[in-house]
């Protein structure tokens, strides 16, 4: 009998993870969120540190702004072609949060400073440990928190610009079953956990030709989130344990660059309409690698192809000042998927999605505003394949995100 | 605030449930109510070198019957063994074994040493029938026309027909006539060539019915067609499966022909042993085994690259007692090129006939031969790549010939694909990972 090599090489160990577009959560400032996610054109509050740092110098005073989001995602899978199997993801709650502090240093000055701490990526998906796709993914989660000190300068009454340096930290965690069964028939599994960090910039230009018309352009660079020393742990039958040593790993997850152009028009004294386009450079994100410190014939470094395409998301929003204290917001967005047919993985199956948003704000005092927003997103039903794992099915994801926040003006 | 969140939360839960609709399975008029599977050990659920209860439960016909149950299929009865030990032999499990010259044990298939729960295995259980699984380990197409087959097979270590037949003295074909299937699968003929291959081509021409012989093609056709005409006599629909090239299974390609690694000293020593055989030479590294061959000078020669060593070749003797080097391997552990071409010829002839019957009888064909060839390089399902490697490939059980439960589920899926394509039905595909593979010791 061949003494060695009794363990299969036939695993796609973590090679099938995509860390797809679904991890991007466009939940930042709540008024903007409630207006279909438009925030690049019209400046409202300190969350422009995220949407368009060029607009920070338009803030008359220092503002502190905080929000928290309750992201609930549900995904359903139905096997194709015959639908003999279906599964629903386990309910999960993710809570991206954002804090922005900033504004003009002097009320009639030109220079503004600020700091944003926000969560542009933060989601996950958990399937039952014994579901049909367990050798592709059992659970996955990822979050990234960006720290962005920001400077903005008002060149003239019409034009301001700004920029910030991004330092990002994050966590990734994923779990996959290993097709080696113990004497009781239980699968093994592998778990990867790691801290990541990376750097980038966020710059913007804001133009206000008239009080009723605003235009903005912003650019957020790609941020390469590097995992330098993650933990790879394996639970497999003892007979196979030497093939799956617990070790450390390196990985790199590029978060894509985003170029945004937005406009806002005050069409009536109480009504502002906004429109925005976001070009997202997903294409750079074409492979994901895992580099293990200790390699064996079964634990080899992996490089997974994803073949992403760049996308253009379109957003529309409205803000209606209902009274001196209360405003109502509504919006609509279309966010196409960067994932090409044939590469839709169950780790966070991605599809074109429609978002409907709404919200309200209440000016509780002269300084304090309370904002609530809700986003509802439903992906198109996607008949999809994941070619590297030969895993096929139909997916739909629905997400609902209620959010709450406060802003406080120091004046 | 909390109230608002709570209400929002409740609303969310309701609105955020995806609702993909699944079309209900459609039999498209095919009557799956009484399914009968006819075949040999592969059909019976034979696995790990023997027949045991959970192997039978995971047979491809039983897996398939589970899917057909959606259309109101009747019970699929199998002649289940009472226990898990294996009958008549113990099943193989992965364990640790140590040959006399090994310093430490290594992972390999060993006979199961647990509870012997075989009591009652030999008892005739025909009264529990009629059985839908007519898979009889060891049976060939030609055996269906032999009166008293069940008794003869029992006498040579295959007691399975005798266990389930109402009358062991009749022909298996007569026993089959007691069934009235509305749907059938037929995977027959493997043993008409496998017996020869397992015997290393050491046939017995003096006794026509010896299982070590390749069946005569006309006799094969006779047996096969008789079975098919019984199955279709009341208009049943069904599926035919052809015969995989037996030499692509792990039993024949696990031990390489050049599986003799030598260092400088042992190569030199062997060269001195074979000083009088100039055609037999050894060098440092991988060497071809020495095998008996009456036609060669001195009655022995080294294997050629295309020849196959059987998994039954005794490993301890090779490792510790210099079999395959100083002592030539007996011929019965090797398939030479002549034997291989005879196997190929017969397989082609049998498969040509099965293909022609599929056309003339209007029955879909599962090309198991082509599928297994594809599996050699690997077929990926839901994140796992399966191939035909011994133990590691995931499809073949520890005997290197029969399937694991997952292997059976893969076969059942291929059958479903063929049924759905031909009869325009929509039997749901099987989640093959619901079934087990090779189990590793703790």
């Amino acid at each position: 009998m061949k003494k060695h090599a009794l363990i299969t090489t036939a695993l796609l160990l973590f090679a099938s993870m995509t860390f797809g577009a679904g991890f991007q959560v466009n939940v930042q400032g709540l008024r903007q969120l409630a207006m279909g996610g438009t925030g690049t054109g019209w400046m409202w509050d300190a969350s422009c540190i995220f949407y368009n740092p060029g607009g920070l110098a338009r803030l008359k005073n220092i503002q502190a702004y905080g929000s928290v989001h309750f992201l609930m995602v549900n995904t359903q899978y139905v096997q194709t072609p015959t639908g003999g199997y279906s599964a629903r993801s386990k309910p999960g709650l993710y809570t991206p949060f954002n804090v922005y502090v900033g504004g003009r240093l002097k009320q009639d000055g030109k220079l503004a400073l600020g700091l944003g701490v926000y969560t542009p990526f933060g989601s996950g998906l958990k399937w039952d440990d014994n579901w049909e796709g367990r050798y592709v993914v059992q659970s996955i989660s990822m979050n990234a928190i960006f720290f962005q000190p920001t400077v903005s300068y008002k060149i003239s009454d019409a034009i301001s610009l700004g920029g910030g340096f991004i330092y990002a930290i994050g966590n990734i965690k994923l779990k996959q079953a290993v097709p080696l069964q113990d004497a009781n028939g239980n699968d093994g599994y592998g778990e990867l956990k790691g801290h990541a960090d990376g750097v980038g910039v966020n710059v913007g230009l804001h133009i206000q030709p008239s009080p009723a018309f605003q235009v903005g352009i912003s650019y957020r660079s790609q941020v390469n989130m590097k995992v330098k020393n993650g933990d790879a742990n394996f639970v497999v039958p003892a007979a196979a344990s030497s093939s799956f040593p617990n070790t450390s790993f390196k990985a790199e997850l590029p978060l894509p660059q985003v170029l945004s152009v937005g406009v806002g028009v005050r069409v009536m004294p109480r009504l502002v309409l906004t429109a925005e386009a976001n070009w997202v450079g997903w294409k750079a994100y074409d492979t994901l690698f895992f580099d293990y410190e200790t390699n064996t014939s079964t634990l080899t470094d992996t490089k997974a192809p994803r073949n992403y395409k760049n996308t253009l998301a379109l957003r529309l929003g409205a803000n209606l000042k209902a009274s001196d204290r209360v405003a109502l917001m509504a919006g609509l967005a279309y966010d196409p998927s960067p994932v090409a047919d044939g590469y839709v993985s169950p780790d966070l199956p991605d599809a074109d999605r429609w978002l409907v948003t709404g919200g309200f704000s209440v000016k509780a005092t002269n300084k304090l505003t309370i904002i609530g927003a809700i986003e509802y997103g439903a992906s198109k039903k996607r008949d999809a394949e994941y070619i590297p794992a030969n895993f096929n099915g139909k997916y739909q994801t629905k997400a609902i995100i209620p959010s709450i926040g406060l802003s406080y003006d120091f004046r | 605030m909390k109230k608002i969140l709570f209400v929002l939360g409740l609303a969310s839960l309701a609105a955020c449930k995806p609702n993909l609709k699944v079309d209900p399975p459609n039999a498209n008029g095919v009557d799956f109510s009484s399914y009968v599977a006819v075949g040999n050990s592969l059909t019976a659920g034979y696995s790990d070198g023997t027949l045991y209860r959970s192997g039978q439960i995971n047979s491809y016909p039983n897996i398939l019957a589970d899917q057909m149950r959606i259309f109101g299929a009747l019970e699929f009865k199998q002649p289940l063994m009472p226990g898990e030990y294996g009958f008549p032999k113990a099943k193989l499990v992965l364990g640790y074994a140590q040959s006399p010259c090994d310093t430490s044990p290594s992972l390999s298939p060993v006979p199961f040493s647990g509870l012997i729960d075989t009591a009652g295995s030999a008892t005739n259980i025909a009264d529990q029938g009629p059985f839908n699984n007519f898979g009889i380990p060891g049976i060939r197409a030609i055996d269906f026309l032999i009166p008293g087959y069940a008794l003869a097979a029992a006498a040579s270590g295959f007691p399975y027909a005798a266990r389930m037949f109402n009358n062991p003295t009749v022909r298996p074909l007569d026993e089959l006539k007691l069934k009235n299937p509305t749907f059938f699968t037929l995977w027959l003929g493997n043993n008409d060539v496998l017996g020869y291959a397992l015997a290393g081509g050491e046939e017995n021409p003096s006794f026509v019915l010896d299982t070590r012989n390749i069946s005569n093609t006309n006799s094969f056709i006779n047996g096969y067609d008789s079975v098919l005409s019984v199955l279709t006599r009341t208009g049943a629909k069904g599926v035919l499966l052809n015969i995989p090239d037996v030499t692509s299974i792990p039993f024949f390609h696990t031990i390489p022909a050049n599986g003799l690694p030598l260092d400088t000293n042992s190569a030199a020593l062997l060269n001195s042993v074979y000083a009088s055989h100039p055609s037999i030479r050894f060098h440092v590294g991988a060497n071809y085994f020495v095998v008996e061959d009456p036609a060669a000078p001195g009655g022995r020669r080294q294997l050629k690259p295309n020849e196959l060593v059987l998994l039954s070749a005794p490993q301890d003797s090779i490792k510790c007692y210099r079999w395959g080097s100083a002592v030539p391997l007996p011929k019965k552990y090797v398939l030479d090129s002549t034997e291989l071409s005879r196997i190929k010829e017969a397989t082609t002839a049998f498969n040509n006939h099965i293909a022609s019957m599929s056309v003339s009888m209007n029955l879909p064909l599962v090309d198991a031969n082509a599928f297994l060839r594809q599996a050699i390089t690997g077929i990926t399902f839901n994140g796992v790549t399966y191939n035909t490697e011994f133990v590691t490939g995931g499809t073949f059980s520890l005997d290197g010939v029969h399937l694991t439960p997952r292997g059976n589920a893969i076969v059942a899926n291929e059958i479903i694909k063929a049924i759905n394509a031909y009869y325009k039905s929509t039997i749901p595909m099987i989640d093959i990972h619901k079934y087990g593979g090779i189990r590793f010791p703790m």
Side-chain angles (χ1 to χ4, degrees):
Chain A
M1 209 60 45
K2 285 194 283 182
K3 203 168 178 177
H4 53 284
L6 261 184
I7 313 304
T8 177
T9 52
L11 309 178
L12 288 167
L13 206 65
F14 298 115
S16 318
M17 299 292 173
T18 60
F19 281 107
F23 290 95
Q24 189 185 29
V25 288
N26 288 302
V27 289
Q28 301 286 338
L30 296 181
R31 189 179 305 273
Q32 296 88 338
L33 168 64
M35 295 171 69
T38 59
T40 308
W42 196 276
M43 294 303 109
W44 300 96
D45 50 44
S47 70
C48 67
I49 288 172
F50 168 80
Y51 288 107
N52 185 351
L56 189 63
R58 298 242 166 252
L59 257 61
K60 291 195 185 76
N61 47 263
I62 301 278
Q63 187 184 63
Y65 189 112
S67 62
V68 60
H69 310 266
F70 302 90
L71 170 60
M72 286 166 270
V73 195
N74 277 301
T75 298
Q76 187 187 2
Y77 164 79
V78 175
Q79 182 195 50
T80 51
T82 50
Y85 177 91
S86 76
R88 286 179 188 277
S89 63
K90 290 187 180 177
L93 174 69
Y94 301 86
T95 52
F97 70 92
N98 314 293
V99 176
Y100 316 95
V101 182
R104 284 215 288 260
L105 295 178
K106 287 186 223 154
Q107 203 132 24
D108 45 6
K110 289 178 184 279
L111 183 70
L113 292 179
L115 173 69
V117 179
Y118 55 90
T119 318
F121 288 80
S123 189
L125 192 60
K126 224 181 205 146
W127 297 97
D128 186 87
D129 273 353
N130 276 319
W131 88 296
E132 188 177 279
R134 65 187 178 275
Y135 300 123
V136 185
V137 62
Q138 287 174 314
S139 65
I140 185 166
S141 73
M142 174 190 170
N143 68 59
I145 298 172
F146 282 19
F147 296 85
Q148 184 194 317
T150 302
V151 183
S152 176
Y153 189 78
K154 193 172 147 189
I155 295 172
S156 71
D157 278 351
I159 299 173
S160 63
L161 45 79
F165 166 80
I166 293 168
Y167 175 66
I169 58 168
N171 284 295
I172 64 166
K173 194 172 161 184
L174 46 104
K175 191 177 165 202
Q176 184 188 54
V178 173
L180 288 175
Q181 296 176 309
D182 67 19
N184 299 321
N186 297 315
D187 278 322
Y189 65 88
E191 210 166 7
L192 299 191
K193 278 184 210 175
H195 297 288
D197 63 0
V199 294
V201 295
N202 184 6
V203 294
L205 171 69
H206 186 251
I207 305 170
Q208 187 172 348
S210 82
F213 185 60
Q214 299 186 16
V215 184
I217 299 173
S218 78
Y219 173 76
R220 279 191 302 284
S221 70
Q222 182 169 316
V223 176
N224 288 327
M225 297 294 283
K226 286 184 182 162
V227 179
K228 292 180 188 104
N229 186 24
D231 291 327
N233 288 309
F234 298 94
V235 175
V236 292
S241 59
S242 63
S243 298
F244 292 96
N246 291 336
T247 179
S248 66
F249 73 95
K250 284 182 205 160
E252 194 173 300
L253 312 167
L255 306 179
Q257 53 182 337
V258 184
L259 179 69
S260 304
V261 179
V263 296
V265 183
R266 190 185 297 280
V267 290
M268 284 188 281
R270 287 175 177 273
L271 181 64
V272 172
L273 299 183
T274 52
E276 178 166 335
N278 311 118
W279 176 87
V280 188
W282 285 110
K283 205 170 175 178
Y285 191 46
D286 59 350
T287 49
L288 172 66
F289 73 86
F290 288 105
D291 175 4
Y292 299 100
E293 174 75 25
T294 311
N295 288 123
T296 67
S297 62
T298 45
L299 187 62
T300 53
D301 298 342
T302 61
K303 235 179 177 165
R306 276 173 315 215
N307 301 346
Y308 273 25
K309 38 189 192 196
N310 297 329
T311 62
L312 189 69
L314 298 171
R315 305 170 182 281
L316 292 172
N319 183 85
L320 177 70
K321 206 168 170 187
S323 74
D324 282 352
R325 287 190 177 277
V326 177
L328 300 172
M329 295 81 82
L332 187 68
Y334 181 68
D335 190 6
S337 167
V339 182
D341 286 340
Y343 289 88
V344 181
S345 156
D347 66 3
L348 209 54
D350 203 50
D352 300 345
R353 51 191 168 161
W354 280 100
L355 306 170
V356 183
T357 61
F360 66 92
S361 70
V362 178
K363 205 162 181 182
T365 73
N366 198 27
K367 292 178 175 175
L368 181 72
T369 305
I370 299 164
I371 316 181
I374 189 156
E375 175 181 297
Y376 173 72
S379 75
K380 284 187 191 163
K381 293 169 185 173
R382 189 166 189 183
D383 223 334
E385 275 183 293
Y386 188 58
I387 292 167
N390 190 19
F391 189 79
N392 307 326
K394 205 181 264 186
Y395 298 94
Q396 191 183 25
T397 299
K398 287 186 179 177
I400 195 147
I401 315 173
S403 311
I404 192 82
L406 295 172
S407 74
Y408 187 86
D409 290 294
F410 295 92
R411 54 183 159 211
Chain B
M1 190 60 61
K2 269 189 181 158
K3 258 186 192 163
I4 294 174
L5 281 180
F6 182 71
V7 171
L8 282 176
L10 276 186
S12 323
L13 288 180
C16 142
K17 234 178 172 167
N19 57 338
L20 293 173
K21 283 197 194 76
V22 181
D23 293 333
N26 178 7
N28 195 27
V30 180
D31 184 355
F32 294 111
S33 63
S34 174
Y35 162 45
V36 169
V38 178
N40 45 50
S41 48
L42 289 163
T43 300
Y46 196 92
S47 185
D48 299 318
T50 189
L51 195 66
Y52 58 95
R53 194 179 182 91
S54 63
Q56 294 174 288
I57 289 169
N58 291 314
S59 66
Y60 77 83
N62 199 41
I63 293 173
L64 195 56
D66 265 349
Q67 302 301 98
M68 292 177 176
R69 201 152 293 141
I70 296 165
F71 306 115
L74 304 173
E75 191 188 357
F76 187 81
K77 273 196 188 172
Q78 300 201 99
L80 291 177
M81 284 291 161
E84 288 293 309
Y85 183 83
F87 183 76
K89 289 182 292 182
K91 66 184 172 192
L92 295 168
V93 294
L94 263 193
Y96 291 94
Q98 188 169 2
S99 70
C101 55
D102 273 336
T103 49
S104 64
S106 62
L107 194 62
S108 55
V110 296
F112 179 63
S113 57
L115 181 74
I116 301 175
D117 52 9
T118 51
S121 294
T123 312
N124 182 287
I125 52 164
D127 58 340
Q128 294 172 20
F131 296 113
N132 298 71
N133 191 332
F134 202 80
I136 299 165
I139 203 165
R140 298 168 293 182
I142 59 170
D143 290 328
F144 275 80
L145 301 177
I146 299 172
Y149 161 80
L151 297 173
S156 60
F158 287 87
Y160 309 108
R163 230 184 122 239
M164 61 190 269
F165 278 15
N166 290 280
N167 180 354
T169 65
V170 300
R171 302 177 302 169
L173 191 70
D174 302 317
E175 197 72 25
L176 186 63
K177 281 180 182 164
L178 302 175
K179 304 184 189 308
N180 287 301
T182 61
F183 194 87
F184 68 89
T185 56
L186 178 61
W187 196 4
L188 188 62
N190 314 57
N191 288 327
D192 292 80
V193 58
L194 180 66
Y196 175 82
L198 292 177
E202 303 310 298
E203 60 190 342
N204 177 14
S206 65
F207 177 49
V208 159
L209 291 178
D210 195 301
T211 55
R212 288 171 293 179
N213 298 340
I214 292 179
S215 299
N216 171 281
T217 302
N218 287 330
S219 312
F220 168 83
I221 291 174
N222 220 351
Y224 194 86
D225 290 1
S226 306
V227 169
L228 201 49
S229 63
V230 166
L231 287 171
T232 53
R233 71 193 191 284
T234 53
K237 304 240 185 303
V239 177
L240 307 180
L241 292 92
N242 68 8
I243 307 167
D245 176 357
V246 293
T247 57
S248 50
I249 64 178
F251 192 86
F252 297 102
H253 62 74
T254 299
I255 303 172
N258 63 344
L260 182 67
L262 295 175
D263 58 21
T264 317
N265 287 343
S266 20
L269 183 66
L270 279 169
N271 281 330
S272 70
V273 170
Y274 281 99
S276 58
H277 292 80
S279 60
I280 298 178
R281 276 296 162 264
F282 301 92
H283 54 83
V284 178
N287 289 266
Y288 288 92
F289 285 116
V290 177
V291 61
E292 279 179 350
D293 184 352
R300 59 186 65 184
R301 62 175 175 86
Q302 277 178 294
L303 284 176
K304 295 176 200 137
N306 60 340
E307 295 176 325
L308 302 176
V309 181
L310 277 52
L311 192 57
S312 50
Q315 294 299 301
D316 287 2
S317 306
I318 291 174
K319 260 196 240 173
C320 312
Y321 306 115
R322 304 167 78 193
W323 279 37
S325 53
V327 182
L329 272 181
K331 284 193 299 175
K332 63 173 179 177
Y333 297 123
V334 167
L335 287 174
D336 64 31
S337 36
T338 317
E339 291 161 345
L340 285 167
S341 60
R342 286 193 58 195
I343 290 169
K344 200 171 184 150
E345 246 167 60
T347 308
T348 307
F350 298 166
N351 279 344
N352 283 345
H353 179 68
I354 294 172
S356 73
M357 291 314 282
S358 143
V359 173
S360 64
M361 303 289 285
N362 292 315
L363 295 164
L365 174 70
V366 174
D367 192 347
N369 189 25
F371 188 72
L372 191 65
R373 219 177 301 129
Q374 196 193 340
I376 293 172
T377 49
I379 301 177
T380 302
F381 298 101
N382 296 350
V384 184
T385 301
Y386 292 91
N387 61 35
T388 56
E389 288 296 302
F390 188 50
V391 181
T392 65
T395 39
F396 283 90
S397 73
L398 295 172
D399 59 29
V401 176
H402 300 95
L403 301 171
T404 59
R406 283 192 183 170
N408 279 311
I410 291 170
V411 168
N413 261 348
E414 290 305 303
I415 296 174
I416 288 174
K417 278 191 214 161
I419 295 174
N420 285 346
Y422 193 86
Y423 296 111
K424 312 278 178 260
S425 53
T426 54
I427 304 173
M429 302 285 285
I430 295 149
D431 170 13
I432 59 170
H433 292 150
K434 210 166 76 182
Y435 299 89
I438 300 273
R439 293 183 173 192
F440 287 79
M442 297 295 184

